[in-house]
């Protein structure tokens, strides 16, 4: 079998794989990416958060992405029964980026992959990792191309950024169930010809449809818009007909969208995804690190996926460089703990979203602006700023605030 040698093998050319590959390559190591699909490929996850701009900058991707003129995103808008809660990243508590993009991921991911290739990292498309053998931290990975040709890659280290493919967790039994209940989505892209009827046509909007069920509306600069219903799988069981009929019927029941979405052209047959929350029993091992979705993916509601994917790779890449340079790395303290700090902050917000705590806070009549700016930082992805009480005390602060708001309501009669 054909064999080649690299310093670092990266599995997957999504945001996590390409960010890691770029940073390690810049440090002078020989890196190769193996990617199962042909790009551009569809993947969901179209709304980015400002914090990921730092990772994209460090990876050297930001100028290439800017050239694509994706829809800029300056905040997020939440809507419930006609009431609006607006967050503007410019108001956030934590210093940092105050804007980002809404992107069709096929094109966005291809931009990152093409840029990393130009930097000298080969990307082997339509090539799947089928097996890995570790000998200490050295490894031999077997890959198979679309024609069925098998070959091997010897590497000193592997970064697994295989997203929903979960290559290393599946090969080495590291999959662990998430503590979040299963949820489901039905979504498509539409040709959004009537978006100008909205007072902010290009703004991402999250609509509370009913308790536990919400809708994303993510307009792109190409005139198309991503729309999806998310929530308890039981809710979708009540829908009848084809997926297109189901989604059209659901859109017709949502007052905020029914006019805009009436008769719109669907770009593709609506798709269903469910039970996406998973985690791994460890995020690293001798000779490998997991980054991006392979570590833990929670829920789409706060658009945390690509940010956690790129930031985990940004952090992991620097640790891999140190390791290859012969330095000691405390993977638990320097990687798992900070990553879990971010994931667990988002987890508290996701739970507070589904149990109604955030409804009370987002749609309160007199929000405390100082607190709102602290929450805004979390929504911008700045979930590692422990100076922010709404990050540091993420597991208690939201419940306390919503109790206070409810008490004030009672006292006001
Ligand atoms: C319904 C839903 C909505 C979402 N909305 C958002 C959102 O608005 N914003 C957001 O930030 N995130 C969102 N996400 C999350 C987002 O999809 C992911 O977090 C993000 O794509 C993770 O990036 P990644 O690079 O880790 O993995 P991916 O983008 O999945 O990339 C992994 C790559 O690895 C390749 N691969 C897999 N197996 C193999 C193999 N055996 N060999 C070689 N290559 C392989 C795949 O082909 C893929 O290209 C959403 C998720 C869901 C389920």
């Amino acid at each position: 079998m054909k064999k080649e040698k690299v310093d670092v093998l990266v599995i997957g050319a999504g945001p996590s794989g390409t960010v890691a590959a770029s940073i390690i390559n810049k440090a002078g190591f020989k890196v190769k990416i193996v990617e199962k699909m042909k790009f551009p490929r569809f993947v969901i996850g179209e709304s980015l958060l400002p914090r990921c701009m730092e990772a994209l900058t460090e990876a050297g991707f930001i100028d290439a992405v800017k050239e694509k003129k994706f829809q800029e995103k300056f905040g997020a808008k939440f809507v419930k029964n006609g009431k609006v809660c607006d967050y503007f990243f410019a108001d956030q508590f934590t210093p940092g980026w105050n804007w980002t993009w809404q992107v069709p991921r096929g094109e966005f991911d291809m931009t990152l992959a093409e840029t990393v290739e130009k930097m000298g990292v080969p990307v082997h498309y339509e090539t799947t990792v089928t097996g890995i053998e570790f000998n200490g931290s050295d490894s031999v990975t077997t890959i198979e191309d679309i024609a069925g040709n098998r070959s091997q890659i010897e590497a000193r280290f592997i970064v697994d950024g295989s997203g929903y493919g979960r290559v290393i967790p599946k090969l080495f039994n590291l999959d662990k169930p998430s503590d979040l209940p299963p949820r489901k989505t039905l979504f498509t892209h539409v040709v959004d010809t009537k978006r100008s009827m909205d007072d902010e046509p290009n703004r991402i909007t999250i609509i509370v449809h009913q308790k536990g069920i919400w809708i994303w509306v993510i307009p792109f600069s190409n005139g198309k818009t991503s729309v999806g219903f998310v929530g308890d799988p039981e809710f979708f069981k009540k829908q009848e007909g084809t997926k297109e009929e189901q989604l059209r019927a659901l859109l017709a029941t949502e007052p905020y969208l029914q006019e805009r979405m009436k008769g719109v052209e669907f770009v593709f047959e609506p798709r269903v995804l469910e039970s996406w929350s998973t985690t791994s029993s460890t995020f690293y091992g001798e000779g490998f690190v997991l980054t991006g979705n392979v570590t833990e993916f929670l829920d789409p509601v706060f658009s945390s996926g690509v940010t956690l994917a790129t930031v985990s790779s940004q952090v992991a890449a620097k640790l891999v460089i140190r390791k290859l340079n012969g330095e000691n790395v405390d993977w638990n303290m320097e990687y798992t703990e900070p990553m879990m700090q971010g994931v667990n902050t988002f987890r508290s917000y996701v739970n507070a979203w589904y149990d109604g705590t955030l409804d009370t806070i987002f749609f309160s009549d007199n929000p405390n602006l100082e607190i709102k700016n602290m929450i805004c930082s979390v929504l911008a992805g700045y979930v590692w700023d422990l100076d922010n009480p709404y990050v540091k005390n993420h597991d208690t602060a939201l419940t306390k605030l919503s109790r206070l708001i409810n008490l004030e309501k009672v006292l006001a009669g």
Side-chain angles (χ1 to χ4, degrees), residues 296-310:
E296 174 150 10
F297 176 66
L298 298 167
D299 192 88
V301 67
F302 296 119
S303 307
S304 59
V306 172
T307 294
L308 291 174
T310 52

Side-chain angles (χ1 to χ4, degrees), residues 261-276:
M261 295 294 151
K262 199 172 178 181
V264 284
E265 183 189 330
F266 284 6
V267 178
F268 52 80
E269 166 82 0
R271 300 177 192 203
V272 168
L273 289 172
E274 57 189 315
S275 304
W276 44 70

Side-chain angles (χ1 to χ4, degrees), residues 11-17 34-37 39 41 43-49 105 109 127-130 161-167 185 187 204 216 218 230 273 276 291-294 297 299-300 302-307 309:
I11 310 174
S16 67
V34 172
E35 164 57 53
K36 189 171 152 177
M37 308 287 284
F39 274 26
R41 55 91 176 89
V43 66
I44 196 66
E46 298 147 334
S47 148
L48 309 183
L49 301 181
R105 283 287 302 281
D109 288 20
T127 303
T128 304
V129 169
T130 57
S162 61
Y164 302 101
R166 307 188 61 73
V167 172
T185 178
F187 66 94
I204 179 173
W216 78 68
I218 306 175
V230 188
L273 289 172
W276 44 70
T291 63
N293 253 40
V294 191
F297 176 66
D299 192 88
F302 296 119
S303 307
S304 59
V306 172
T307 294

Side-chain angles (χ1 to χ4, degrees), residues 167-410:
V167 172
I168 287 185
K170 280 189 183 152
L171 287 174
F172 297 95
N173 289 324
L174 306 178
D175 267 338
K176 212 173 99 178
S178 159
D179 58 2
L180 294 172
R183 297 202 167 96
K184 182 170 171 170
T185 178
L186 178 66
F187 66 94
T188 191
H189 288 175
V190 305
V191 182
D192 196 6
T193 48
K194 288 181 278 176
R195 73 165 68 159
S196 58
M197 66 189 291
D198 196 298
D199 54 346
E200 294 178 291
N202 300 325
R203 190 109 190 262
I204 179 173
T205 308
I206 306 296
I207 302 154
V208 181
H209 181 62
Q210 63 183 61
K211 192 166 181 345
I213 306 292
W214 59 276
I215 309 165
W216 78 68
V217 181
I218 306 175
F220 301 133
S221 56
N222 62 10
K224 294 173 187 152
T225 290
S226 179
V227 188
F229 278 72
V230 188
D232 185 348
E234 286 300 313
F235 168 79
F236 294 92
K237 283 192 185 152
K238 292 176 226 145
Q239 312 307 320
E240 286 175 357
T242 63
K243 289 188 193 112
E244 175 162 352
E245 285 163 350
Q246 291 180 31
L247 189 52
R248 286 198 188 278
L250 285 172
L251 288 167
T253 61
E254 173 47 54
Y256 192 80
L257 286 178
Q258 53 194 191
E259 267 315 301
R260 177 168 163 186
M261 295 294 151
K262 199 172 178 181
V264 284
E265 183 189 330
F266 284 6
V267 178
F268 52 80
E269 166 82 0
R271 300 177 192 203
V272 168
L273 289 172
E274 57 189 315
S275 304
W276 44 70
S277 316
T278 31
T279 183
S280 306
S281 55
T282 179
F283 290 178
Y284 63 89
E286 211 185 338
F288 74 87
V289 62
L290 313 180
T291 63
N293 253 40
V294 191
T295 55
E296 174 150 10
F297 176 66
L298 298 167
D299 192 88
V301 67
F302 296 119
S303 307
S304 59
V306 172
T307 294
L308 291 174
T310 52
V311 176
S312 59
S313 282
Q314 191 188 9
V315 174
K318 289 182 212 162
L319 298 176
V320 173
I321 293 166
R322 274 178 43 204
K323 169 89 184 139
L324 294 179
N325 283 333
E327 289 176 41
N328 269 339
V329 173
D330 184 336
W331 287 96
N332 207 36
M333 206 183 80
E334 299 180 71
Y335 186 62
T336 305
E337 282 178 18
M339 285 311 105
M340 286 315 292
Q341 152 67 39
V343 169
N344 284 333
T345 302
F346 274 119
R347 192 191 318 276
S348 294
Y349 281 69
V350 167
N351 285 329
W353 171 258
Y354 284 100
D355 72 15
T357 304
L358 278 179
D359 262 24
T360 308
I361 295 170
F362 284 1
F363 301 104
S364 73
D365 289 328
N366 298 305
N368 173 319
L369 293 184
E370 209 179 327
I371 293 178
K372 190 171 175 189
N373 297 345
M374 291 170 182
I375 294 175
C376 185
S377 285
V378 174
L379 304 186
Y382 284 89
V383 287
W384 292 275
D385 176 13
L386 295 176
D387 289 337
N388 180 350
Y390 280 76
V391 169
K392 187 160 188 257
N393 309 315
H394 60 84
D395 48 346
T396 53
L398 297 174
T399 317
K400 279 187 191 159
L401 178 60
S402 91
R403 278 201 201 122
L404 189 68
I405 292 168
N406 283 333
L407 186 67
E408 279 169 1
K409 261 195 230 158
V410 173

